[in-house]
Amino acid sequence: MSNITAATVKSLREKTGAGMLDCKKALDECGGDIEKSIDWLRKKGLSAAAKKSGRVAAEGLVGMMTNDSTTSGVLVEVNAETDFVARNDMFQQLVDDAVQMAMKMDMEKGDSNEALKTALAPAITNLIATIGENMNFRRAKKLSVDKGVIASYMHNALKPNAGKIGVLVALESTGDKTKLQELGKKLAMHIAAASPSYLNAGSVPADVIAREKTVLAEQAKTSGKPEAVIEKMVQGRIQKFYEEVALLEQTFIFDNETKITKMLENAEKEIGAKVAVKDFALFRLGEGIEKKQDDFAAEVASMAKN
């Protein structure tokens, strides 16, 4: 076994981010050779990363980018276990890299998310080994327009174009692009606050409507009113449901009076052309991920038995 100095251990730790004892062991195993020790740690780190992959990663960052002409934009979500890691420069660089990759890919394809996940896998695995937390690429979406703009908004931004709630809005129009951007920014802020799931009433899936009607009908029956009245009650409540889940049916949050469709019509006069919302994307960090609730007392009791 070679004589390993503290300076050598420190150097290896700075290069790899691995623990002090792990660095010492790596140097012992590799005869003090720094490069061989880095490889040794990476191999062990890859194994450790695999063990961490089962841990829930619901924190992280939503990254965002639009091209110079603002005719194309992407949202990307990369998760980690803690908000602390989201503030790490290496993790933030990973998110930046993911955004750059997504901008270059044809994200309209159905398998584009899987392709991006595969491309990012080596970098994510190495970062897991270095930082010691599970992390993963979750999703990405790209929006584009031929004529018009992609407007964006990032809420709770940790740094420019990276935060916890990201929104893109695709506005199709031949009107003034500066004014379109102003309109799109307000609409993106509305989306962040109102959380619509669909663009318009027509885009709500039939099975979602059917399920909602069934629930509403059961609720209405408790009134004891005739079937014809109940049917009208259900229709009225379905319209209310559309106003909750469909963007173009919602009321603009900036005045709580104007319907989004009417707001767009009013804006057309100033923009100088028709304006249509082609699509939108809303990413809320960790949305839908079930976070594990640790029972510390049970964990201690379990360890005591062992």
Side-chain angles (χ1 to χ4, degrees), residues 64 165 168 213 270 299:
M64 179 174 71
I165 303 175
L168 295 177
K213 282 184 175 180
E270 186 175 356
E299 184 179 340

Side-chain angles (χ1 to χ4, degrees), residues 179 183 252 255 257-275:
K179 295 186 185 302
L183 172 65
F252 194 35
D255 63 12
E257 293 180 2
T258 311
K259 193 172 179 178
I260 294 295
T261 49
K262 184 63 177 177
M263 183 270 284
L264 291 171
E265 287 178 15
N266 294 339
E268 289 173 354
K269 300 170 186 176
E270 186 175 356
I271 291 169
K274 295 287 290 183
V275 179

Side-chain angles (χ1 to χ4, degrees), residues 218-226 229-230 233 237:
E218 288 299 318
Q219 292 175 348
K221 284 178 182 178
T222 61
S223 67
K225 294 181 179 179
V229 175
I230 289 175
M233 289 172 65
R237 291 176 184 178

